[in-house]
Amino acid sequence: MASTSDIRKGLCIVYNNDTYKIIEFLHVKPGKGPAFVRTKLRSLTTGKVLDNTFSAGHKIEEVRVETRKYQYLYPEGDTYHFMNTDDYNQIALQREALDAPELLKEGEIVTIIIRTSDEMPLSVEMPSHVYLEVAHTEPGVKGNTATNATKPATMETGATVNVPLFINEGDKIKIDTDKGSYIERVKE
């Protein structure tokens, strides 16, 4: 058993007879009254996100997990296939287990969280950023902006990301996988 002081991003817990992963948390100590922890939990079985508040000292049941490196192979409908980089075993996961499936490129190395009690894959953690090529974007018009203007760009994986006006088709860009946002253009 863990307590609220052990809460951190990525922790897997049992809550309401389901397995959840903590995706956001905030320790709050108001001037009046007891401290508490505000959390955002994602169900690892259904993918639904819910907000919950734990009072300070509340006991939570932690799920023992293991992380393993897998290489993304290919999609098949709503099923995504991965290969273990150590023993070359393959597994298939549903779209709900992935945080940002639209940013996955074939050959990408990801971390899969596996429950140790029954070897059940729970979720896929993307790298913090990915490098993708711009497949389509409208040409930017110079001189018609007063601030940092952006335009939508379709990536090679089909994802749409807002990018600055100077980005053209064929450019490689670095994308933050947590927010799905543009970071910088990559020079080759």
Side-chain angles (χ1 to χ4, degrees):
M1 292 294 259
S3 71
T4 52
S5 60
D6 300 319
I7 288 179
R8 64 188 182 282
K9 186 177 177 183
L11 179 72
C12 295
I13 63 170
V14 175
Y15 178 71
N16 285 351
N17 298 323
D18 196 1
T19 306
Y20 286 89
K21 178 178 166 186
I22 296 173
I23 51 177
E24 281 181 27
F25 73 97
L26 178 67
H27 287 277
V28 180
K29 180 145 179 39
K32 191 176 193 179
F36 56 90
V37 181
R38 219 176 259 136
T39 60
K40 194 172 276 198
L41 308 168
R42 176 184 288 125
S43 170
L44 296 177
T45 53
T46 63
K48 290 184 179 169
V49 176
L50 64 100
D51 293 317
N52 189 46
T53 302
F54 294 104
S55 57
H58 184 84
K59 297 290 181 205
I60 51 177
E61 188 178 340
E62 192 175 347
V63 177
R64 294 193 57 83
V65 294
E66 206 174 85
T67 59
R68 296 185 192 147
K69 296 286 184 196
Y70 279 78
Q71 182 179 17
Y72 172 59
L73 298 176
Y74 60 93
E76 189 175 29
D78 273 352
T79 306
Y80 291 75
H81 295 269
F82 297 89
M83 178 183 67
N84 189 325
T85 55
D86 296 330
D87 60 12
Y88 306 110
N89 285 336
Q90 291 187 20
I91 61 170
L93 296 175
Q94 293 304 310
R95 184 180 183 90
E96 293 82 44
L98 283 77
D99 291 339
E102 65 280 354
L103 296 176
L104 259 182
K105 187 167 116 181
E106 291 178 7
E108 192 76 49
I109 301 294
V110 298
T111 303
I112 296 185
I113 298 172
I114 296 173
R115 186 170 38 207
T116 54
S117 60
D118 59 359
E119 291 292 312
M120 172 80 176
L122 297 176
S123 75
V124 176
E125 284 187 355
M126 296 278 290
S128 61
H129 54 269
V130 293
Y131 299 96
L132 295 176
E133 189 174 312
V134 177
H136 174 73
T137 186
E138 297 298 323
V141 180
K142 205 173 197 176
N144 67 349
T145 60
T147 59
N148 295 341
T150 60
K151 61 182 178 180
T154 305
M155 309 315 299
E156 60 186 300
T157 59
T160 303
V161 177
N162 284 331
V163 297
L165 296 178
F166 60 82
I167 298 293
N168 298 311
E169 288 181 15
D171 287 353
K172 273 195 175 283
I173 62 170
K174 185 176 180 181
I175 300 171
D176 181 344
T177 55
D178 278 346
K179 299 181 186 98
S181 59
Y182 167 87
I183 297 176
E184 65 184 358
R185 179 168 51 179
V186 179
K187 299 277 188 201
E188 291 185 12

